[in-house]
Structure formats: structure tokens, C-alpha cells
Amino acid sequence: MYILKLTRLLSFLFLVSLARPAVARQANKTRHADVIVYGGTSAGIIAAVQVAKMGKKVIVVSPDVHLGGLSSSGLGFTDTGNKEVIGGLARDFYHRVYLHYQQDSAWKWQSRESYGNKGQGTPAIDGRERTMWIFEPHVAESIFETLVKENKITVYRDRWLDRTYEPVKKKGSIVGIKTTNGEYYTGSMFIDATYEGDLMAAAKVNYHIGREANAVYGEKWNGVQALVFQHRHHFAKPVDPFVVKGNPASGLLPGISKEVPGPNGSADKRLQAYCYRMCLSDKPENRVEFPKPDNYNPTDYELLVRVFESGWRELFDKYDPVPNRKTDTNNHGPFSTDYIGMNYRYPEASYAERKSIIKAHEDYQKGLMYFLSNDPRVPADLQARMKTWGLAKDEFADNGHWPYQLYVREARRMIGPYVVTEHDVLGTKEVPRPVGMGSYSLDSHNVQRYVTPEGHVQNEGDIGVKAPKPYAISYDALVPKAAECKNLLVPVCLSSSHIAYGSIRMEPVFMILGQSAATAAVLAINNKVSVQDVDYKQLAAALQADKQCLTYK
């Protein structure tokens, strides 16, 4: 105990000696734990639970007030892939969802029988395995809060990493981080569980943003993919892009870029589009009409009118059902909830600029729903059906019934000792030192909207290539190169190519990798080694004891 206290004191004194003079004045705001988890996402909370279960002190430093990331912010129609390889604490989460919906009291707005059993690639309710994969946002948030309470995890909310302050390092390891309110957090190990990778970037770990050229990793599906259509998210019929049809001099409609894609397979800095995963209801007693948003301009949706004029009628194809007559509403079609091309600056943007980008996404998507419900140019049959839907009154009550979290599908991606590529996902290579598995398709949403040489509008970047079977994810994709940082693990913005990340970026996988990263962090502490030098056999044994799936037959 004396040695432990002395170690903590020396760590703090070192931080004080190297950091800005303000550190001394803020000494009373310094907090210490064995492991500091930055990010209140599903991966962050699962990581913290694992640290606590292994007997170490953990602190979650969460920018968000509401815990669980996308899992508790609308993404309830889970992208499971092959559920057989979802093990450990991730599976326990979905078991807890199952237990919740076994209660009659959980079915307030519809009967269990009328809900059905539709999931994404798997039944929503698996009675044999006692898991449920589809859920309402508030149910997920409640489970994460219960996990925090059960494991006595300390969480500091609304705490934002001071990105102007480079974390102090000693011999290549982070000593402490600072938040914008002047607090300091010191620890032996750090886990960046954010969707943006802010701590990773602040620690000067190398990363990539955008699409690599296919030539970089010998891939086929990375880079620009113009005129490659693998979902129904493109313009299937010619649609005029100009303000005045047929007149290029009139300018382009909103949301269409003047730039043209580079050659197929070439690199760019563009990102797959973001959106909100709305939770809607068609139960009159639990429905709130779509509000008219700030900055509403019906001209922003003129392109959608032209899509309707082309005969498109798939408006409700991704109103995926979750219990109690609600939806997880996702993007679908050539013009939908994805705000294509408006997120490129987000990963590197300041907090103020991110807020502006987030607000623009919110205004666009709220405006879309208001437009569909009220504008006379919307086909009457679709608008009549649209008027039966609204925001779910009993979700996100303190945020105007709007989801808390923008769906940041992809931001920074670390470049670590091992980079996951499409070869891992497609099973064409052996993966070293696995710590979890994925199974979803190579899945990228559209990246840009442009004008073709023929003078028509088109989307680019939408890819969906099926993984033939579950694939392993290497431990070496969760850690930086040793020369960059020795006590940081990154289970969300992990080391991956753009297109491989399209498969990895699923909430169950983030939970799996959060648990694996936490296990490695504790083993590194116990054995007094860097994260790069964790004994893999010991790590694999610990993960398998916790029912993580590392291989698939």
C-alpha cells in the first residue's frame, strides 16, 4: 500500500513539474485511477466494467452526459452480423436487453405478440440463447447506467479533453490528461473509447482520415468507387442536378458538389456520411409532430422532389421496428437522412466547429422530416403515411425527443503496428493475435454527391461486400506503435483501412474490443509492461475465460 501511494504521488509530482503552471493551482482537481477511460460510448462503459471486474480502479471521463453512445442514442436495430461471435460483456448486454423485454411492464405501447421478431440478419429475440438484439434507446441507456452502478464505476460527465494541452508523457507513456474545465486525470493506463479518437490524436499517435488508395494495402474496395452500386442508395434514373432544369448556368442544387471524383481506387480525404438514427413512433399517444427546425429552407429538398418525380417510392424502407411501435430510422435511397459531403472537417475540427457541423446535420434532418410531412410537392400517398409518424415522446425527453449522439460512422483511424484491411474481413489472410471477432459486411455509406459527365446527379462511395465468415481482429490493431505511446489502447478508432472499418464499426464489435482493451490494460499494469509487450497467451486465456470469441470454425 505504501509503495502504491508513493507511486501515485511521484506520478502527480512529475505531472506538476512538466505541465503548465496552472497545474499547481489546480492540484485539488487532480484525480487518479489505475485506468482512465476517455469516452462514455458503449465501448467505454464496457471497458470500465471489465477493469472493475479485474479489481482495478477506473474512472470514465465522458464528454457526454448520457452514456452508451449510439447504442443508447437511436441505433437499436443492431448490426449484429453473425451473433455467434458476440461474446463476453457484449453478449451480457444483449442478455440484459432480453431480460428487460421478458417483463410485461416493458410492453407499454404494444403487445409482445404484435411486435413480431424481425432483426437485422437474425431474429430480434433469441429465446434459446436468451438474448435480444433490438431495443429502445432508453432501455440501452438504463442498462449502461445499471452496469456503472453495479460495478461502482466513477464517471465524470460533460468533461471534454483539452485538445490544446498535449498530455504529459514520461518515457513514452501518458502521465495525465487535462479537461477543459481545468481538471486533471492521472493513471497507469489510458483507453480512448471516443468515436473521434481525440485522446489518441492529442497523444501524437499517428492516424489517417479519409480513404486510402487501393494500392496502399492491395485492396479492391477502398478509395473512390464511382458508379459502383451495391445498395439502393444511388440515383437509379437520370435526375437533373441544376437549379433550373437543363441549365448549368443556374448553378447546382444544394448538397451537390462541384468537384468530381478522382479515378476509381484513388485516395481522398472524404468521409462516409453521418446522420442521426431517429426513434420514431406511430402511436398517437406517444407521437410528437416533427418540428420546423432552425434555418429551414424547402429548397434544400428540391433534389428529393425530383427523385419522387423519377418514380422512387422507397421512403419507408428503413423504418426498422423496435419494440413499442417505434423505429430505428436509418438512411435509405439516393436522398435521405445521410447529410452527404458535410462532415469532412468534423474529425479535426475544434469543439466549436464540431457543434456547428452537428447543428447543420440536425437542421438538415429535422428539415427533411418537416418537409416530408408538410410540403405540397411530396406525393400525397407518401405524405399521408408520413403524417402518421413523429418523434417518440418517451425518448430523449430532455433533448426535444431528438437523439443525443450524431452517428459518427468514421473519423480518425489509428495507424498501429497492424492495420486491419479488407483481406482480414474477407478471410484471405491469417490474422495474428486475435482479441475479438467481427462479421459484418464491408459497409460504407456514400461519401460524395456529384455531377456525372452526362449531366446527371449521382452518389459515390456506397459499398456493401459480404464477409464470407466471421473474421478475427488483431490485438496489434488496438495499440499504437511503441515509439508513439506505451500505455494507450484504442478500441474504437483502431488501426484499420477505411473499407475494413466499414465492417468493424458496429456497436457489438466496439463492446467486444472495449473489453479486450481493458483486459490488456490490467495485464499490462499487473506485469509492469507496455501495452505492446502484454503476453498474448496470457491475454488470450483471460479473454477466453470471460467467454470472448477469438476464433470461428
Side-chain angles (χ1 to χ4, degrees):
M1 181 61 71
Y2 174 80
I3 293 175
L4 179 60
K5 289 182 177 179
L6 179 61
T7 301
R8 290 178 178 175
L9 177 61
L10 290 174
S11 295
F12 171 67
L13 290 175
F14 181 80
L15 178 64
V16 170
S17 68
L18 293 185
R20 297 172 181 177
V23 176
R25 296 193 299 272
Q26 301 291 346
N28 62 328
K29 290 190 175 182
T30 298
R31 301 183 174 98
H32 180 88
D34 299 304
V35 180
I36 304 295
V37 176
Y38 183 61
T41 60
S42 60
I45 300 307
I46 293 299
V49 169
Q50 181 65 15
V51 172
K53 286 183 177 296
M54 295 181 74
K56 298 297 183 184
K57 182 179 179 182
V58 61
I59 291 175
V60 175
V61 182
S62 174
D64 303 307
V65 173
H66 296 272
L67 304 180
L70 262 296
S71 286
S72 56
S73 202
L75 207 168
F77 197 75
T78 305
D79 303 304
T80 53
N82 187 323
K83 65 187 178 183
E84 293 180 34
V85 297
I86 301 173
L89 293 174
R91 196 170 195 85
D92 177 67
F93 172 85
Y94 296 105
H95 172 60
R96 289 171 183 252
V97 172
Y98 173 85
L99 292 178
H100 171 82
Y101 286 107
Q102 289 301 298
Q103 304 172 81
D104 291 340
S105 60
W107 299 90
K108 181 177 181 180
W109 301 114
Q110 72 177 143
S111 67
R112 185 186 288 107
E113 293 71 29
S114 66
Y115 167 63
N117 203 20
K118 178 187 176 184
Q120 186 163 190
T122 186
I125 306 171
D126 186 336
R128 183 176 66 86
E129 295 290 333
R130 294 174 60 80
T131 53
M132 186 165 175
W133 306 95
I134 312 298
F135 48 85
E136 300 159 274
H138 75 270
V139 173
E141 184 176 3
S142 176
I143 291 170
F144 286 118
E145 292 289 354
T146 298
L147 288 169
V148 166
K149 185 176 180 180
E150 286 178 356
N151 292 278
K152 298 181 174 59
I153 294 168
T154 300
V155 180
Y156 292 97
R157 305 170 196 243
D158 195 21
R159 300 300 201 275
W160 298 79
L161 182 72
D162 186 344
R163 294 159 60 199
T164 67
Y165 173 90
E166 184 177 342
V168 176
K169 289 183 181 178
K170 179 180 180 181
K171 295 182 179 179
S173 293
I174 300 170
V175 175
I177 61 174
K178 178 186 174 186
T179 52
T180 55
N181 66 340
E183 294 173 350
Y184 295 83
Y185 296 86
T186 64
S188 299
M189 291 287 152
F190 291 80
I191 296 175
D192 185 343
T194 62
Y195 293 119
E196 296 84 2
D198 282 343
L199 175 54
M200 171 189 70
K204 304 300 182 184
V205 169
N206 199 21
Y207 58 86
H208 189 84
I209 297 173
R211 299 184 287 188
E212 300 93 345
N214 276 335
V216 174
Y217 300 117
E219 296 176 295
K220 178 180 179 180
W221 300 111
N222 207 336
V224 174
Q225 299 286 331
L227 303 182
V228 176
F229 306 131
Q230 295 177 333
H231 295 114
R232 301 196 311 276
H233 304 324
H234 62 283
F235 292 84
K237 295 182 179 179
V239 172
D240 192 292
F242 304 112
V243 174
V244 177
K245 292 181 180 180
N247 182 7
S250 65
L252 295 170
L253 289 174
I256 303 175
S257 174
K258 295 179 181 179
E259 298 182 13
V260 296
N264 273 20
S266 64
D268 63 20
K269 294 296 184 182
R270 298 182 177 97
L271 298 168
Q272 59 176 311
Y274 299 168
C275 72
Y276 283 91
R277 296 291 284 257
M278 297 177 297
C279 185
L280 308 183
S281 174
D282 68 348
K283 182 74 172 176
E285 303 94 311
N286 195 39
R287 185 181 71 223
V288 177
E289 289 187 2
F290 296 113
K292 185 177 182 178
D294 299 332
N295 309 309
Y296 177 69
N297 184 350
T299 303
D300 292 341
Y301 310 101
E302 169 64 26
L303 186 55
L304 179 58
V305 173
R306 296 183 187 182
V307 173
F308 288 140
E309 290 173 349
S310 75
W312 185 81
R313 288 296 185 274
E314 299 175 15
L315 183 61
F316 300 98
D317 278 25
K318 283 302 290 180
Y319 278 47
D320 292 316
V322 302
N324 284 309
R325 286 178 62 171
K326 299 178 190 176
T327 69
D328 168 356
T329 297
N330 196 8
N331 179 83
H332 179 75
F335 189 105
S336 186
T337 58
D338 279 359
Y339 200 18
I340 298 173
M342 303 302 170
N343 60 344
Y344 301 154
R345 291 181 56 83
Y346 180 86
E348 300 278 57
S350 66
Y351 290 136
E353 187 178 359
R354 281 185 188 169
K355 285 183 180 179
S356 177
I357 293 169
I358 290 169
K359 183 65 164 61
H361 278 74
E362 180 180 331
D363 285 349
Y364 163 78
Q365 199 163 329
K366 283 182 175 178
L368 173 63
M369 307 312 285
Y370 183 82
F371 177 86
L372 290 168
S373 301
N374 295 281
D375 197 284
R377 293 174 294 168
V378 176
D381 59 324
L382 295 179
Q383 189 163 88
R385 186 176 172 189
M386 190 69 196
K387 284 181 176 293
T388 68
W389 291 100
L391 301 175
K393 187 184 295 184
D394 60 352
E395 299 289 351
F396 318 120
D398 60 347
N399 197 45
H401 314 291
W402 193 253
Y404 303 120
Q405 172 73 54
L406 178 66
Y407 192 177
V408 177
R409 288 190 172 94
E410 180 179 9
R412 299 181 180 97
R413 301 186 313 280
M414 182 170 62
I415 302 175
Y418 185 90
V419 179
V420 183
T421 69
E422 69 178 42
H423 304 294
D424 300 62
V425 177
L426 299 179
T428 60
K429 65 179 293 187
E430 185 175 346
V431 177
R433 293 159 44 104
V435 291
M437 303 198 78
S439 60
Y440 206 77
S441 301
L442 297 169
D443 182 45
S444 172
H445 281 233
N446 278 306
V447 171
Q448 60 186 320
R449 179 174 288 144
Y450 68 103
V451 180
T452 69
E454 295 77 22
H456 305 138
V457 62
Q458 193 52 267
N459 297 333
E460 183 274 320
D462 177 60
I463 296 296
V465 178
K466 184 176 176 59
K469 64 179 182 179
Y471 60 92
I473 300 170
S474 174
Y475 174 66
D476 297 305
L478 306 188
V479 299
K481 295 174 182 176
E484 294 174 353
C485 191
K486 296 180 179 179
N487 67 336
L488 175 67
L489 295 111
V490 186
V492 176
C493 295
L494 70 160
S495 180
S496 167
S497 71
H498 154 74
I499 196 58
Y501 196 79
S503 173
I504 295 169
R505 62 174 182 83
M506 306 301 159
E507 290 290 292
V509 179
F510 287 157
M511 292 188 218
I512 290 167
L513 298 181
Q515 181 177 3
S516 295
T519 303
V522 173
L523 293 178
I525 293 171
N526 289 344
N527 295 320
K528 298 181 175 61
V529 297
S530 69
V531 293
Q532 292 83 8
D533 290 334
V534 168
D535 183 275
Y536 176 70
K537 289 184 179 179
Q538 186 182 12
L539 174 59
L543 295 177
Q544 289 169 329
D546 287 333
K547 299 182 180 180
Q548 287 274 54
C549 297
L550 307 185
T551 58
Y552 181 80
K553 300 296 184 182

